[in-house]
Amino acid sequence: MSPENDQAALSSAAGREDSRPHEQVRLELALAAARMGTWDWELDSDKMSWDRQMHVLFGLAPASFGGHDTDFLDLLHPADRARVAGELAAALEGRTDFDSEFRVVWPADGTVHILRSRAQVTRDAQGKTVRALGVSWEVTERRRTEADLERKRSLLDALMEHLPDKIYFKDTESRFIGANKSKLIQHGLTSESQLIGKTDFDYFREDRARRAREDEQRTMSSGVPLVDHEEKNVWPDGSETWVSTTKMPLRDSEGRIIGTFGLSRDITRRKRIEDELGLIANELRARNAMLEEDLKMARELQSAMLPQRYPSFAAGAGERGLVRFHHYFTPSMAVSGDFFNVCKISDTQAGIFICDVMGHGVRAALVAAMMHTLLGEAHAELGDPAALLTHLNRTLRETLKSAETPMFATAFYVVVDLHLGELRYANAGHPCPLLVPGDLGSGALPAKLNGIKPGPVLGLFENAPYANACHRLAPRDVLLLFTDGLFEVEGSEGRIYDYQQLQRAIGERSALPTAELCSGLIDEIQQFSARKEFSDDVCLIAMEVEHLPAGRK
């Protein structure tokens, strides 16, 4: 029953004191079904009567209401009492009907409820107010729902008013039925009414509008949204803009598709940046290709600087060679800072040089190339290891002294004197080579060539001192020179393959042919590595003595 019908029923009941009982019963049933409470205020006796539902609405136990208007006002929220008292007084004076909404505080739990109340005032023959009949009902959930809807409407209004993205709604014919402020501004409009009923054909080029309509029809027919679809707009002045568009099916309360709604975000700046980045990327790829080609050539040149053929040493014409050489060389990058050379000083003297330039890559490779050139110019010093290292250090120091970043290299040079059966060597901060005697017993370790304290690395100190040391050489001996990349290898769980482990591994393979010794050693270290490969430049040179010339000293 609506409040208006309730008011009519109350007016009838107030004007006819001889109402029949069954009509009263029907009224009570209707009010109970609507959860409405009734109240009757007799002003002569100042007695206010409430039915059972009124007690429920005010959170009171049955028949516990005090019966006076002041008791009623005490149950109201303090902020509403004065207003409601004034509205009641105005109704009793005949100035207006009583139709009020107020909050009540339930005594039991302190919860606040919102009630609506209406009343009809009855007067006697002299016009004096003698009675007021009223109904009350709860509207708490309705008001909360309305407040929630208003809050959501306010949020939506804020979104539609301030969001820079374009939001729009269309019917099944792709006609606009609503849009936000940004969409209106895009087309130079000031009112939503200017847009409603129009289509994209009114604002965009025909091909662009046709594609948009096809997308919308496809979205409506399939029910599948179109998400983040990029579109290019060409405007009448020839300018171009890009948007990322999402279109969704618009449904009514029963789930039927009645159109589409969408959001378009301007991505013009992003697309321009992408285009610029694409040009930069293409340029970088071209430069990288050139750099790769240069590095390939540099690697070929570096490989060309390494020995392509080893010098031969024989006791006489037609006799087999006195020594054999083997090597393993691999850079960690395109080019390497490691370098070695084997030169023939005389028919019975060989010079073996190995160095490791600080760092990796092109810079280290350039210094290694300098070492190749300097070594080729030092013919007079090739027979004296200490003199050669002294010459290389001074020249390198002079060349690199103006470099912003200090550069240096470790180096080892040994003269193999087959006639005397000895090794003469000098060391510039390099790992000590290992000599495997031909008669090395099982489990024994190869000897380190550390007969003298190593001198400083090359290129740091102008007057660094270097000295020679000697070691006996016998038939079937194997000399191994290497850079630190061979043994400073990190394995799993942070373990390091160190110099001592390298020494043991060589000793365990001492009975093998030299080529097999070297290849087995390389395989073992690579398998030890956590990456299963070397992470540093690696250089390994092996010289095996087949025999020594007859008649040597």
Side-chain angles (χ1 to χ4, degrees), residues 435-549:
L435 183 68
V436 184
D439 56 357
L440 184 67
S442 176
L445 296 177
K448 294 194 291 185
L449 294 190
N450 60 351
I452 194 169
K453 181 179 178 181
V457 295
L458 303 179
L460 282 186
F461 307 106
E462 184 174 355
N463 297 313
Y466 301 95
N468 290 324
C470 295
H471 195 285
R472 184 183 61 84
L473 186 66
R476 296 188 299 113
D477 285 356
V478 176
L479 176 64
L480 298 167
L481 298 88
F482 41 83
T483 55
D484 59 11
L486 183 65
F487 60 86
E488 291 180 352
V489 176
E490 184 175 354
S492 60
E493 300 179 357
R495 295 179 299 134
I496 299 296
Y497 194 100
D498 58 15
Y499 186 92
Q500 289 70 28
Q501 193 165 347
L502 175 68
Q503 193 176 14
R504 287 193 297 270
I506 293 173
E508 292 168 357
R509 293 173 171 80
S510 60
L512 296 175
T514 303
E516 292 183 27
L517 184 156
C518 292
S519 62
L521 185 64
I522 295 297
D523 289 342
E524 175 183 309
I525 300 172
Q526 287 181 322
Q527 288 303 312
F528 176 90
S529 169
R531 298 169 52 189
K532 305 304 178 186
E533 62 181 0
F534 290 108
S535 58
D536 194 3
D537 301 334
V538 175
C539 180
L540 169 65
I541 313 163
M543 182 198 73
E544 58 178 320
V545 180
E546 291 286 326
H547 63 279
L548 295 177

Side-chain angles (χ1 to χ4, degrees), residues 314-331:
E319 295 189 18
R320 60 191 178 95
L322 301 177
V323 294
R324 289 184 183 178
F325 296 95
H326 308 269
H327 81 268
Y328 175 85
F329 181 89
T330 181

Side-chain angles (χ1 to χ4, degrees), residues 189-209:
L189 308 178
T190 58
S191 171
E192 191 177 48
S193 61
Q194 296 174 279
L195 181 71
I196 292 176
K198 301 291 185 63
T199 70
D200 284 337
F201 287 93
D202 294 300
Y203 301 106
F204 296 101
R205 289 186 0 176
E206 183 178 353
D207 56 341
R208 162 71 170 80

Side-chain angles (χ1 to χ4, degrees), residues 30 53-54 81 176 254 331 334 374 419 428 439 482 485 488 497 511 529 533:
Q53 185 62 25
M54 283 293 290
R81 288 173 189 163
F176 289 103
E254 296 181 1
L374 296 176
H419 181 69
D439 56 357
F482 41 83
E488 291 180 352
Y497 194 100
S529 169
E533 62 181 0

Side-chain angles (χ1 to χ4, degrees), residues 410-431:
T410 67
F412 190 96
Y413 180 62
V414 57
V415 174
V416 181
D417 194 321
L418 300 173
H419 181 69
L420 297 178
E422 72 173 11
L423 302 172
R424 293 189 302 277
Y425 59 89
N427 190 340
H430 198 80

